[in-house]
Amino acid sequence: VSSRIKELANSSFELYQNGLGYNNLLFMSAVLGDMAIEKGGIYHNLLLIEEPEAHLCINNIRLMSSFLRVFASKNKSVQLFYSTHNAELINKMDLKNVVIVHEGNAFSLLQELEEEERDYLTKNPNLDLFKLFFSKKCILFEGISEEMLIRSYLDSKNELSDIELISFHKGYTKIIEIWKKVNSGTSNKLGIIRDYDYQDNAKKDHDKYDDGKTICVRTTDEKTLEPEIVKTGDNYTILKDKYGETLGWKDMSSDEMQKAWQNAKALDMLTICKDIESGDLPDLEMPKHIKDVL
């Protein structure tokens, strides 16, 4: 960025020839640089930035995010505040500095979560706090099989296209508590889809958050998802007739199919979900715990 600023300063290049995003990047870079060049010292101790991601492409958002972090780490006498709608500008390694603002209320993750709980969020892959807390309809689920099944079903139903899906390794009760605070007084809804895994206490801990209005928590009756699908309605016959030859289920009983599918996991699920999305399995029924959430 610094070399690009120098290049522009020493040429007849007109800034209007850039897009809004690139000029925004240059402007913020110049301001941050200017704050640090007064004989190597800082002459402002507070910097407020509104939506630094404005008009930036994804690569420049990451560049700006990196620039802000380096600036903050090298200039300890400056407090840096920025408001953002882009998760790329949230440092997952430093969630104690994140404040969630919604409907006139603010919730600091430093105060609302213990260190162990913030560490959980940090370790969770691809966490998007905006989708989690601000979506009108959001479903949390555990694994890749659930994601493929639910996403393919949603894609096959236009009326369900406004639902956000986020994968969590396990259900997390503290997240539900924060979600309730952030979404108090709104019409937003949260769904939790869990595997039983023979953990009665965990099921009870999550079930208590089901209020029948804004939060719906459902857990499989069986250990995991696949047996639930096979045992629902006429699914066993439908799956056996369509995939008996290709997936080796032709001569299997219902119990045998359940076990075989659990062992194959994502590979067989992908084959089936492609057909769900394309409309080739119109009679396949979603398990009750997923239908309840939807």
Side-chain angles (χ1 to χ4, degrees):
V1 174
S2 297
S3 62
R4 179 58 175 154
I5 292 173
K6 292 178 181 178
E7 177 186 338
L8 290 173
N10 296 322
S11 72
S12 59
F13 189 85
E14 297 293 340
L15 288 178
Y16 72 82
Q17 293 179 262
N18 287 329
L20 289 175
Y22 201 77
N23 280 344
N24 188 33
L25 180 67
L26 293 174
F27 171 73
M28 287 189 289
S29 303
V31 170
L32 291 176
D34 183 58
M35 290 184 66
I37 62 175
E38 180 76 8
K39 296 182 179 179
I42 296 292
Y43 52 90
H44 295 96
N45 55 19
L46 182 63
L47 178 62
L48 309 177
I49 306 176
E50 180 181 5
E51 299 182 22
E53 73 273 16
H55 306 295
L56 298 182
C57 69
I58 183 60
N59 290 326
N60 282 340
I61 288 176
R62 290 171 177 161
L63 179 60
M64 176 51 64
S65 176
S66 176
F67 198 20
L68 291 175
R69 291 173 191 173
V70 171
F71 175 84
S73 66
K74 288 186 176 181
N75 299 284
K76 300 298 184 182
S77 62
V78 179
Q79 285 185 291
L80 173 62
F81 294 85
Y82 58 85
S83 63
T84 180
H85 297 277
N86 195 299
E88 289 291 337
L89 285 156
I90 294 178
N91 184 2
K92 288 182 65 178
M93 300 304 296
D94 200 15
L95 291 179
K96 66 179 182 293
N97 286 328
V98 174
V99 177
I100 298 169
V101 181
H102 189 49
E103 298 291 335
N105 298 310
F107 305 91
S108 166
L109 296 191
L110 176 62
Q111 296 176 336
E112 299 291 342
L113 297 180
E114 300 294 334
E115 182 177 5
E116 179 182 354
E117 295 162 341
R118 290 193 300 273
D119 288 346
Y120 170 81
L121 288 179
T122 298
K123 292 183 291 184
N124 196 79
N126 303 318
L127 179 64
D128 190 332
L129 294 177
F130 294 102
K131 288 183 179 180
L132 175 59
F133 293 127
F134 299 143
S135 297
K136 292 182 181 297
K137 303 171 186 176
C138 182
I139 294 177
L140 307 184
F141 57 92
E142 293 186 25
I144 184 63
S145 293
E146 285 79 2
E147 178 173 17
M148 287 191 292
L149 178 66
I150 300 171
R151 195 173 295 281
S152 64
Y153 185 74
L154 295 183
D155 288 345
S156 71
K157 306 289 184 182
N158 292 332
E159 65 272 20
L160 301 177
S161 61
D162 59 344
I163 297 176
E164 293 287 354
L165 300 178
I166 301 179
S167 174
F168 266 57
H169 176 59
K170 290 290 183 181
Y172 199 48
T173 56
K174 193 66 177 181
I175 295 302
I176 302 176
E177 292 176 3
I178 299 176
W179 185 93
K180 290 175 64 177
K181 291 181 180 180
V182 173
N183 288 277
S184 175
T186 74
S187 60
N188 294 351
K189 296 184 178 183
L190 179 68
I192 310 291
I193 294 176
R194 306 178 60 254
D195 283 344
Y196 174 38
D197 288 331
Y198 305 127
Q199 296 178 347
D200 289 318
N201 289 337
K203 183 179 184 301
K204 292 177 182 178
D205 287 342
H206 288 81
D207 283 348
K208 67 183 181 183
Y209 290 98
D210 189 310
D211 60 13
K213 296 179 180 179
T214 58
I215 299 177
C216 182
V217 180
R218 291 294 185 269
T219 302
T220 59
D221 291 327
E222 300 291 333
K223 179 182 178 182
T224 56
L225 172 65
E226 288 79 10
E228 298 281 345
I229 300 174
V230 176
K231 293 173 63 176
T232 298
D234 295 326
N235 286 354
Y236 165 66
T237 301
I238 294 171
L239 293 170
K240 185 177 180 181
D241 290 345
K242 186 169 182 62
Y243 303 104
E245 294 289 347
T246 57
L247 299 182
W249 294 348
K250 182 178 180 180
D251 298 319
M252 289 187 179
S253 65
S254 175
D255 288 340
E256 291 172 336
M257 182 185 293
Q258 294 171 36
K259 293 177 182 179
W261 196 355
Q262 282 182 292
N263 291 332
K265 281 291 185 180
L267 184 60
D268 289 353
M269 182 65 79
L270 177 60
T271 299
I272 294 169
C273 288
K274 286 181 178 179
D275 288 337
I276 293 176
E277 184 176 11
S278 64
D280 288 343
L281 282 173
D283 297 325
L284 191 75
E285 188 176 346
M286 290 295 104
K288 184 179 184 303
H289 71 292
I290 293 179
K291 286 193 295 184
D292 285 351
V293 172
L294 294 176

